[in-house]
Amino acid sequence: MSKKSKGPDDVVLYRRLLSKVRPFWTRLLWAMALMILVAGASSAMAYMVKPVMDDIFVAKDRAMLVMVPLAVIVLYAIKGTCSYGQTYLMQFVGQRIMTEFRVDLYAHLQKLSLSYYDRVPTGELMSRITNDVNNIQGAVSSVVTGVLKDLFTIFGLIFVILYRDWFLGMFAVGVFPLCVIPLVKFGRRLRKISRRSQETMADVSVLLHETISGARIVKGFCREDHEIARFSAEAERLFQLRMKDVSTRAISSPLMEFLGGLGIAGIIFYGGWQVINGHSTPGTFFSFLTALIMLYEPVKHLSNLNNDIQNGLASATRVYEVLDTPPQIVDKPQALTLPRLRQGIEFRDVSFAYRPGETVLNHINLNVPAGQLLALVGTSGGGKTTMVNLLPRFYEVSEGAVLIDGVDIRDCTLFSLRSQIAIVTQQTILFNDTVRNNIAYGRPEASEAEIVEAARAAYALDFIERLPSGFDTVIGEAGVLLSGGERQRLSIARAILADRPILILDEATSSLDTESELYVQKALENLMRGRTTLVIAHRLSTIQRADRILVMSEGRIAEEGRHEELLALQGLYSRLHRMQFAVDQGLEVGGVA
Ligand SMILES: Nc1ncnc2c1ncn2[C@@H]1O[C@H](COP(=O)(O)OP(=O)(O)O)[C@@H](O)[C@H]1O
Ligand SMILES: [Mg+2]
């Protein structure tokens, strides 16, 4: 962002953030009232130093000996109570706003189209929901809680200073800003260092994520030492930055104190001279000095505030960047509710490109009557997955139209469209939840009997019953480890239970070994029964009984027909078949009944 555009952008940003704060104005007013009391009590402490000195120590007044300590107790009690209430109210507002931000962001991410997820790395999005929202919170709470309390306290203390000795007070208050200059300077340097160490921290996280989740590869290629060296280099970089940070901080504080000491020495000389000459009392002098010393804290806070604000604004920009991205695929204003599929699916002259100019699908025409089994085969990268992803509108066609029962799917609600389709892919996605909830994911209201039936039809019942707690076993990272075939059968059970008329199988068995593939095949047979199915298969033997086979190549339908017809063509299909046959002979794959 250029310096020039920063101004108005910041104003817009402040305004948006403020609009988030507005609903909480009553709480904020209360908090402000409490802050004034806290600031008043702090200043009163400085004020009280004079009666302590002059009345108790110098004049030896016994009545004051009781009164003053009582007053101190009352002041501390007031200060403590108000400070608690003030912090609680302010944090309530800050935390509430952050929770809203988090939920808004998450809800928005759920609405964004898949093309957005293709573009932005997962880690990036996660860090916006966690780190950036935390940063905003830091800024909001330090601004709202800090600024006013510090300002009120500074006003109160300056009042005491001027009241005690206005001449010296003017001098001290005038000199004070000079002490702030080094603070600001150090602050800037610290910010630079801290930004760099944040970046290094991020690098370390990426490295950790890569090498921990890729532990198998690291070990397999014997690269442990290399990874250790890489990690220790990053850790060393972090060490250097941290030490720079520490030494800057460690210098700034003694330096500040030394400057403060110079000032205090001057004040002691002048003040002492006044007292010795009888122009002032020790109480006045110490009260003055106390107020001056107490000024240090709130002023230091205020000078650090800018760092927090800059951090928070940068993060807010990143958060709004996500929130302001409109979802590309949404319901039309008067979208239809698509009834359950009756006639069939049609691709009418469909072309598609992920990026403009890079055509992935080229004028595809296709009719799939309801109840048919259509198989898609072809070279890798030929556009098979892309084609089936157009059906649930994960991506929008660039040209042409996809129709269900003669209705353009862009005219239907996404909900009614997607609730007709079940998808089983190569990567099985199971959630960190019980087996039961994983199966019922697409139909949470399903009865126990239906869930068990779906598991049986998916050939999953046997192994589920062998799990430690059966259907209540939690699967996922911390839970039970399932084999690829077992995971796949659970996801098939999920699809069976969801009972959608259209089924998409995208290489559902390609990552499995022969034995589990056999079970999964049988489970798939049960799943496909009575549905309109688009199946992408790498293994030609599994699709020989398809009603129709499309051979895709470079975004076009190269060949089309039944197994025998395609073989007779002696084209791409028969070539793929010969290659597959050579592989299968080694594997001895049995046919599927
Ligand atoms: N999300 C994506 N963004 C950009 N290009 C993609 C994306 N997914 C696939 N492609 C490209 O589109 C082409 C077709 O891919 P795909 O449909 O996955 O082929 P297949 O499933 O037949 O192997 C490939 O060239 C691939 O690189
Ligand atoms: Mg694919």
Side-chain angles (χ1 to χ4, degrees):
M1 198 190 293
S2 78
K3 265 251 150 74
K4 260 184 201 156
S5 69
K6 207 181 150 202
D9 274 0
D10 277 2
V11 172
V12 172
L13 212 53
Y14 280 127
R15 216 171 267 161
R16 292 181 80 168
L17 288 172
L18 262 176
S19 74
K20 286 251 168 212
V21 178
R22 202 163 297 135
F24 300 100
W25 67 274
T26 38
R27 280 193 176 79
L28 291 177
L29 274 185
W30 273 109
M32 233 184 269
L34 292 174
M35 279 177 201
I36 293 179
L37 286 175
V38 172
S42 295
S43 312
M45 303 288 188
Y47 183 88
M48 293 281 291
V49 171
K50 180 179 161 73
V52 171
M53 286 302 288
D54 289 349
D55 300 343
I56 301 179
F57 290 105
V58 179
K60 304 197 165 60
D61 179 338
R62 280 170 200 276
M64 287 305 267
L65 183 59
V66 179
M67 292 294 289
V68 172
L70 279 181
V72 168
I73 293 172
V74 170
L75 274 179
Y76 268 105
I78 292 177
K79 190 179 168 189
T81 316
C82 294
S83 169
Y84 166 78
Q86 179 272 125
T87 308
Y88 182 87
L89 286 172
M90 282 316 218
Q91 284 292 330
F92 181 92
V93 175
Q95 302 285 352
R96 217 40 278 157
I97 293 172
M98 286 323 110
T99 309
E100 276 174 29
F101 257 122
R102 252 189 210 120
V103 174
D104 283 357
L105 255 180
Y106 183 75
H108 193 72
L109 282 177
Q110 291 287 0
K111 283 193 212 116
L112 285 172
S113 326
L114 279 181
S115 55
Y116 184 78
Y117 289 87
D118 290 344
R119 227 173 32 242
V120 186
T122 315
E124 178 76 44
L125 292 177
M126 289 175 65
S127 112
R128 294 201 185 187
I129 292 186
T130 54
N131 297 340
D132 283 318
V133 171
N134 279 347
N135 262 348
I136 301 181
Q137 178 183 343
V140 168
S141 50
S142 72
V143 169
V144 195
T145 36
V147 175
L148 291 176
K149 189 168 75 180
D150 291 336
L151 280 180
F152 289 142
T153 309
I154 289 173
F155 284 138
L157 290 172
I158 286 182
F159 174 79
V160 173
I161 288 173
L162 291 178
Y163 181 79
R164 288 299 179 221
D165 186 333
W166 70 269
F167 175 72
L168 191 54
M170 293 294 274
F171 174 73
V173 171
V175 165
F176 215 83
L178 290 183
C179 300
V180 175
I181 293 173
L183 260 184
V184 172
K185 265 221 150 79
F186 280 122
R188 238 176 244 150
R189 201 185 133 115
L190 279 175
R191 189 156 90 220
K192 223 183 275 165
I193 297 172
S194 100
R195 199 179 49 228
R196 273 170 56 202
S197 49
Q198 288 296 340
E199 285 164 7
T200 311
M201 261 319 271
D203 290 347
V204 169
S205 315
V206 170
L207 196 68
L208 275 178
H209 177 79
E210 267 176 17
T211 49
I212 291 176
S213 60
R216 196 183 299 264
I217 303 295
V218 174
K219 289 187 189 304
F221 286 93
C222 301
R223 296 287 279 174
E224 291 97 330
D225 289 340
H226 167 75
E227 296 303 343
I228 293 170
R230 236 164 37 118
F231 186 82
S232 49
E234 288 294 340
E236 191 60 30
R237 224 151 64 95
L238 203 55
F239 170 78
Q240 304 287 353
L241 284 168
R242 284 280 147 84
M243 284 318 291
K244 256 191 198 163
D245 183 278
V246 167
S247 82
T248 309
R249 275 177 210 275
I251 279 186
S252 71
S253 169
L255 192 76
M256 281 298 298
E257 276 174 20
F258 180 69
L259 285 177
L262 285 184
I264 288 171
I267 286 164
I268 290 174
F269 180 77
Y270 170 82
W273 187 61
Q274 292 279 71
V275 174
I276 289 172
N277 284 331
H279 296 309
S280 180
T281 70
T284 304
F285 170 72
F286 278 107
S287 173
F288 177 92
L289 195 60
T290 309
L292 194 65
I293 291 171
M294 281 172 74
L295 260 184
Y296 181 75
E297 269 306 304
V299 168
K300 197 173 83 178
H301 273 167
L302 279 185
S303 70
N304 277 337
L305 198 69
N306 191 36
N307 293 356
D308 289 341
I309 293 180
Q310 293 307 325
N311 264 343
L313 285 182
S315 287
T317 311
R318 284 155 58 85
V319 166
Y320 277 122
E321 206 175 273
V322 178
L323 283 176
D324 292 345
T325 308
Q328 280 176 332
I329 298 180
V330 288
D331 286 348
K332 276 189 182 172
Q334 257 108 35
L336 310 167
T337 303
L338 192 67
R340 199 171 164 99
L341 172 86
R342 270 180 315 237
Q343 295 148 25
I345 302 164
E346 183 186 352
F347 280 67
R348 191 178 288 171
D349 201 30
V350 168
S351 295
F352 177 79
Y354 286 103
R355 283 176 294 269
E358 295 173 27
T359 310
V360 174
L361 293 178
N362 228 321
H363 301 285
I364 301 281
N365 279 293
L366 174 68
N367 255 302
V368 190
Q372 266 208 357
L373 169 58
L374 175 85
L376 294 166
V377 298
T379 46
S380 166
K384 304 179 294 293
T385 299
T386 306
M387 195 168 141
V388 295
N389 276 342
L390 295 180
L391 193 55
R393 277 181 85 195
F394 286 157
Y395 299 90
E396 204 86 285
V397 295
S398 311
E399 263 178 65
V402 178
L403 303 101
I404 289 183
D405 290 347
V407 181
D408 191 325
I409 56 173
R410 281 170 295 192
D411 296 331
C412 311
T413 61
L414 281 171
F415 181 81
S416 69
L417 169 69
R418 289 180 184 166
S419 29
Q420 308 246 4
I421 304 171
I423 305 174
V424 179
T425 60
Q426 186 174 355
Q427 306 95 352
T428 49
I429 308 289
L430 297 177
F431 297 100
N432 189 8
D433 202 344
T434 60
V435 170
R436 175 182 295 102
N437 290 344
N438 266 290
I439 295 179
Y441 192 73
R443 236 182 83 198
E445 76 286 357
S447 74
E448 187 69 20
E450 288 172 310
I451 293 175
V452 172
E453 196 37 53
R456 190 195 316 279
Y459 289 85
L461 198 55
D462 275 357
F463 79 80
I464 291 174
E465 281 172 346
R466 278 199 304 273
L467 291 174
S469 329
F471 279 92
D472 292 313
T473 312
V474 174
I475 40 185
E477 278 190 290
V480 174
L481 293 173
L482 297 177
S483 77
E486 289 166 342
R487 295 172 64 87
Q488 192 59 287
R489 278 178 276 158
L490 282 190
S491 71
I492 292 170
R494 179 194 289 165
I496 290 177
L497 188 67
D499 189 27
R500 309 280 170 83
I502 300 171
L503 180 62
I504 294 172
L505 304 176
D506 190 349
E507 314 215 15
T509 60
S510 40
S511 60
L512 304 178
D513 56 76
T514 318
E515 196 198 330
S516 29
E517 182 176 350
L518 207 66
Y519 276 115
V520 171
Q521 266 311 334
K522 289 183 178 178
L524 286 175
E525 296 291 325
N526 284 339
L527 173 59
M528 286 189 284
R529 194 161 298 137
R531 297 178 217 279
T532 312
T533 308
L534 303 180
V535 54
I536 301 174
H538 73 306
R539 206 173 283 285
L540 299 181
S541 66
T542 65
I543 48 162
Q544 287 178 3
R545 46 169 223 88
D547 295 302
R548 201 146 44 107
I549 301 166
L550 293 188
V551 186
M552 302 272 309
S553 173
E554 293 172 18
R556 291 173 199 275
I557 299 175
E559 293 168 10
E560 186 175 352
R562 291 188 61 95
H563 176 65
E564 297 76 19
E565 297 165 4
L566 289 174
L567 276 187
L569 274 179
Q570 290 292 328
L572 186 57
Y573 185 80
S574 75
R575 238 187 0 263
L576 287 168
H577 186 257
R578 269 201 305 281
M579 272 169 6
Q580 188 67 63
F581 188 65
V583 175
D584 281 357
Q585 276 203 318
L587 290 173
E588 298 248 333
V589 173
V592 174

